């Protein structure tokens, strides 16, 4: 190892070889071009050979320089990969928790509130897994799951964050036009979210049954997830079923408006489930308790 040049020489040379010029290497390393030239000359003195053909414009690596460049890039790449693995392992052992929830819950409820949690607990990392469809589970190493339903899961400790209510919502102009035209929900343009089988998300069929209404002919659009459906509603393409936890902020800021007299209660709510493994992690318990506070204020 005593025959190796200083690491600074090699990283400088690697930048020259990769970027193609000492000027670009200087800019990349945030040093002066003369400093780059001096370092390269020191490396050449160390190995006893010219590494850059300065007789050409622009200068190019010599054959020996190309050989050293390949070895340097390979060696530094191995070192960089090892450091990344070490950092990853160290981070995995640090304070972090894994949360599973729907894409809609992540986008419209959890993520806007996470800065509040980080302000109180800056050392805890929250990893959010949000599959586009389906009901979140505690499989795959999740410490907590945020789920919509009746709270009858048996795979962990459940708390109700808040009861849910459902109401059709749409773009203000669309809702106003439908009301002015005396167009009811039976024929209004509707937006559907295609849910995975065996989930308990209510759709328009359940809503109409609850309201004692019967759907007639009317335009309909379907989307694979709640986020895309919300965007379509904001674009005025139709009415969608709005869960208050997910669309209340959009209603408050005027991007969506509720259908007059359209609220129903299916006896469901949003729950947080703490897994057995999560219960053993102090960080997960801290987040679980914080969720309870957020639910109480919702």
């Amino acid at each position: 190892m005593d025959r190796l040049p200083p690491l600074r020489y090699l990283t400088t040379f690697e930048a020259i070889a990769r970027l193609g010029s000492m000027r670009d290497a200087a800019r990349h390393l945030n040093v002066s071009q003369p400093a780059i030239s001096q370092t390269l000359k020191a490396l050449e003195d160390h190995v006893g050979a010219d590494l850059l053909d300065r007789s050409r414009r622009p200068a190019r690596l010599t054959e020996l320089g190309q050989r050293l460049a390949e070895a340097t890039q390979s060696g530094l790449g191995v070192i960089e990969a090892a450091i990344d693995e070490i950092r990853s392992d160290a981070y995995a052992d640090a304070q972090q928790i894994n949360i599973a929830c729907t894409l809609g819950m992540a986008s419209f409820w959890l993520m806007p509130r996470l800065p509040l949690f980080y302000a109180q607990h800056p050392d805890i990392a929250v990893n959010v897994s949000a599959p586009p469809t389906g009901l979140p589970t505690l499989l795959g190493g999740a410490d907590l799951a945020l789920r919509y339903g009746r709270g009858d899961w048996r795979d962990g400790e459940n708390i109700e964050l808040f009861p849910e209510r459902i109401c059709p919502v749409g773009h203000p102009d669309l809702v106003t036009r439908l009301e002015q035209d005396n167009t009811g929900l039976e024929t209004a343009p509707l937006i559907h979210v295609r849910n995975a089988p065996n989930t308990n998300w209510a759709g328009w069929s359940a809503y109409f049954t609850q309201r004692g209404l019967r759907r007639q002919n009317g335009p309909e659009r379907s989307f694979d997830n709640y986020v895309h459906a919300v965007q379509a509603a904001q674009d005025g393409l139709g009415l969608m079923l709005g869960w208050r936890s997910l669309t209340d902020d959009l209603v408050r800021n005027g991007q969506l408006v509720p259908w007059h007299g359209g609220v129903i209660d299916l006896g469901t709510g949003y729950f947080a489930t703490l897994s057995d493994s999560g219960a053993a992690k102090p960080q997960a318990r801290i987040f679980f308790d914080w969720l309870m506070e957020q639910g109480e204020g919702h």
Side-chain angles (χ1 to χ4, degrees):
M1 292 295 178
D2 293 339
R3 297 166 58 191
L4 288 176
L7 180 60
R8 177 173 60 88
Y9 291 6
L10 295 176
T11 55
T12 299
F13 178 65
E14 187 279 333
I16 296 172
R18 174 165 47 85
L19 298 175
S21 73
M22 287 189 285
R23 181 187 61 186
D24 291 340
R27 185 181 298 114
H28 175 71
L29 296 174
N30 196 29
V31 297
S32 67
Q33 189 167 334
I36 292 290
S37 180
Q38 292 171 7
T39 301
L40 176 61
K41 184 63 170 62
L43 179 61
E44 289 176 325
D45 291 343
H46 185 93
V47 301
D50 290 337
L51 303 175
L52 202 66
D53 184 355
R54 296 170 177 79
S55 66
R56 302 176 58 182
R57 291 292 182 271
R60 290 287 184 268
L61 293 176
T62 64
E63 182 179 347
L64 296 177
Q66 184 62 45
R67 187 188 308 174
L68 181 59
E70 293 174 358
T72 300
Q73 290 168 349
S74 175
L76 291 177
V78 171
I79 294 173
E80 184 177 31
I83 291 175
D84 286 342
E85 290 180 3
I86 292 171
R87 286 175 174 170
S88 178
D89 291 344
Y91 184 74
D93 293 336
Q95 298 189 53
Q96 65 171 323
I97 53 177
N98 301 308
I99 312 299
C101 63
T102 64
L103 186 59
M105 183 62 165
S107 301
F108 299 113
W109 193 87
L110 180 58
M111 299 305 290
R113 288 168 172 79
L114 271 185
L116 300 175
F117 179 79
Y118 286 135
Q120 299 175 22
H121 306 282
D123 295 331
I124 300 179
V126 180
N127 302 321
V128 180
S129 175
T133 59
L135 194 66
T137 71
L138 291 172
L139 300 177
D143 298 308
L144 296 101
L146 305 182
R147 300 186 280 201
Y148 167 79
R150 302 184 183 277
D152 51 358
W153 303 285
R154 300 181 181 276
D155 52 353
E157 178 184 345
N158 297 308
I159 57 166
E160 185 180 35
L161 298 179
F162 44 79
E164 262 295 7
R165 294 191 299 271
I166 304 172
C167 182
V169 294
H171 189 280
D173 293 343
L174 173 63
V175 173
T176 299
R177 185 172 71 252
L178 293 174
E179 291 177 345
Q180 290 176 345
D181 294 342
N182 292 320
T183 301
L185 294 174
E186 296 87 347
T187 57
L190 302 182
I191 295 173
H192 297 267
V193 179
R194 288 186 285 264
N195 294 315
N198 303 321
T199 61
N200 56 359
W201 287 94
W204 277 107
S205 177
Y207 179 86
F208 275 90
T209 299
Q210 180 79 3
R211 291 287 308 278
L213 301 174
R214 184 175 181 180
R215 176 66 173 170
Q216 301 174 19
N217 292 331
E220 299 186 355
R221 298 174 184 266
S222 295
F223 295 88
D224 289 332
N225 63 68
Y226 202 80
V227 174
H228 293 165
V230 168
Q231 184 60 59
Q234 290 178 290
D235 292 339
L237 299 182
L239 302 175
M240 69 174 297
L241 287 178
W243 274 258
R244 73 184 184 99
S245 60
L246 307 183
T247 57
D248 264 11
D249 287 344
L250 298 175
V251 169
R252 277 192 290 269
N253 64 30
Q255 292 178 265
L256 297 174
V257 297
W259 187 260
H260 181 70
V263 176
I264 65 170
D265 186 347
L266 296 177
T268 57
Y270 251 103
F271 292 79
T273 305
L274 182 65
S275 70
D276 292 340
S277 59
K281 296 174 63 174
Q283 301 88 350
R285 176 62 68 177
I286 289 173
F287 191 76
F288 193 61
D289 294 341
W290 177 82
L291 286 172
M292 292 176 60
E293 297 174 1
Q294 295 302 306
E296 292 171 357
H298 184 73

